[in-house]
């Protein structure tokens, strides 16, 4: 499976590093393209093929991934259009806010043909194979959709969804990872105020959050069911939770998610 990633900024770079860790993908089969030669040196040191020429990156790839900022998307996609083999190559576009209709217009060669195309939104945890990735088929068979889902499942978890939910998925998981980290930061600062050294507080909070996630993934319970197990009447946990709610914790989270739409 030969993969080319055009654009290796924060997200594209995280994707390249994640795919390089997959057992079923050879690092020699990954090509990354970016105008920043200094940035490419890192990926070359990992054994990937590197180039500053987007069209060269497209040649010979089975899957072409365009991972760029919204204001660059049109230029990049139209720039590689002539090199794309619509009958053989799969195109994956990672670009927040881009609609399938706009993408189709950019890919139009005047004959109504399209490559098998997907809009995809991972999050930066893909670098450590722990992403939550949303996949929207734009022009794809069920078989190719399954293959793309399998690819991203190797780097975490994926969900094939409707385009109307892609914005919600972005704020819930792609923006959401920053929201989760902000909670971690706040808890670490609280731990320091409670008397722990900063490094110890960080480890305590990270292990606690990991434990919560592992527990919910293992038993499938609603979070409130697990919360009930540790909120004894008159106990410390319920007092702490109520103080957080008095400060608007749940409301603040929901408002933050909605603001990202």
């Amino acid at each position: 499976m030969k993969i080319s990633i055009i654009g290796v900024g924060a997200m594209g770079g995280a994707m390249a590093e994640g795919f390089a860790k997959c057992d079923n993908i050879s690092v020699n089969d990954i090509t990354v393209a970016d105008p920043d030669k200094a940035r490419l040196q890192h990926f070359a040191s990992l054994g990937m093929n590197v180039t500053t020429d987007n069209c060269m990156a497209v040649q010979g790839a089975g899957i072409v991934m365009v991972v760029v900022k919204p204001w660059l998307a049109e230029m990049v996609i139209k720039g590689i259009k002539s090199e794309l083999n619509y009958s053989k190559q799969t195109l994956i576009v990672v670009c927040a806010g881009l609609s399938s209709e706009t993408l189709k217009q950019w890919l139009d060669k005047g004959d109504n043909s399209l490559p098998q195309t997907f809009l995809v939104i991972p999050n930066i945890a893909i670098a450590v194979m722990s992403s939550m990735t949303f996949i929207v088929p734009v022009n794809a068979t069920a078989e190719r959709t399954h293959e793309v889902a399998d690819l991203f499942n190797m780097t975490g978890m994926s969900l094939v969804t409707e385009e109307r939910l892609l914005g919600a998925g972005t704020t819930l998981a792609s923006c959401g990872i920053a929201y989760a980290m902000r909670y971690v930061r706040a808890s670490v600062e609280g731990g320091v105020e409670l008397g722990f050294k900063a490094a110890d507080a960080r480890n305590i909070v990270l292990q606690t959050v990991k434990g919560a996630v592992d527990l919910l993934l293992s038993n499938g319970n609603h979070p409130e069911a697990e919360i009930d197990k540790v909120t004894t009447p008159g106990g410390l946990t319920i007092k702490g939770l109520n103080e957080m709610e008095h400060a608007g914790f749940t409301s603040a989270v929901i408002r933050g998610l909605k603001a990202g739409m």
Side-chain angles (χ1 to χ4, degrees):
M1 180 191 300
K2 291 191 175 182
I3 298 172
S4 287
I5 302 173
I6 296 173
V8 284
M11 181 58 74
M15 291 171 67
E17 294 199 14
F19 290 130
K21 295 180 176 74
C22 294
D23 293 337
N24 295 341
I25 301 174
S26 170
V27 70
N28 297 321
D29 286 334
I30 301 174
T31 297
V32 299
D34 197 275
D36 188 334
K37 292 182 180 179
R39 184 179 289 166
L40 290 176
Q41 290 177 358
H42 168 68
F43 299 99
S45 72
L46 298 177
M48 299 179 200
N49 308 296
V50 301
T51 180
T52 57
D53 187 329
N54 292 345
C55 289
M56 187 174 292
V58 170
Q59 297 170 9
I63 299 176
V64 177
M65 302 185 181
V66 175
V67 192
V68 296
K69 298 297 184 184
W71 55 88
L72 294 173
E74 181 176 8
M75 179 186 70
V76 171
I77 290 169
K78 288 184 175 179
I80 64 172
K81 182 166 64 174
S82 62
E83 294 294 330
L84 283 169
N85 186 325
Y86 283 16
S87 63
K88 293 182 179 180
Q89 292 178 306
T90 299
L91 177 65
I92 291 173
V93 179
V94 179
C95 181
L98 179 61
S99 72
S100 61
E101 286 306 311
T102 298
L103 183 56
K104 288 175 183 178
Q105 291 173 17
W106 292 347
L107 290 168
D108 183 19
K109 291 182 176 180
D111 57 3
N112 295 318
S113 65
L114 287 173
Q116 299 216 44
T117 305
F118 298 84
L119 289 170
V120 171
I121 297 291
N123 66 33
I124 57 171
I126 196 169
V128 291
M129 304 173 73
S130 196
S131 176
M132 179 65 236
T133 301
F134 298 90
I135 300 168
V136 174
V138 174
N139 178 63
T141 63
E143 180 181 6
R144 190 62 55 87
T145 300
H146 183 73
E147 291 171 357
V148 169
D150 283 346
L151 172 64
F152 283 99
N153 282 335
M154 288 192 285
T155 58
M157 182 183 297
S158 73
L159 177 67
V160 178
T161 188
E162 304 170 54
E163 185 173 356
R164 68 180 182 85
L165 291 174
L166 196 56
T170 299
T171 192
L172 195 58
S174 189
C175 301
I177 197 166
Y179 305 154
M181 289 177 181
R182 183 57 62 89
Y183 167 80
V184 170
R185 189 193 78 173
S187 292
V188 170
E189 291 176 353
V192 173
E193 186 170 340
L194 291 172
F196 289 102
K197 294 180 179 178
D200 290 336
R202 175 182 178 275
N203 291 335
I204 292 166
V205 173
L206 290 179
Q207 182 59 37
T208 301
V209 172
K210 181 179 182 297
V213 171
D214 288 346
L215 188 61
L216 293 173
L217 286 175
S218 69
N219 60 28
N221 282 349
H222 190 284
E224 205 61 36
E226 296 301 324
I227 290 172
D228 285 345
K229 294 178 183 178
V230 293
T231 49
T232 53
L236 297 176
T237 305
I238 191 62
K239 290 178 181 177
L241 286 171
N242 284 342
E243 280 299 313
M244 291 180 187
E245 289 303 329
H246 288 322
F249 180 80
T250 297
S251 177
V253 171
I254 294 171
R255 288 177 64 183
L257 291 169
K258 292 173 72 175
M261 290 290 291

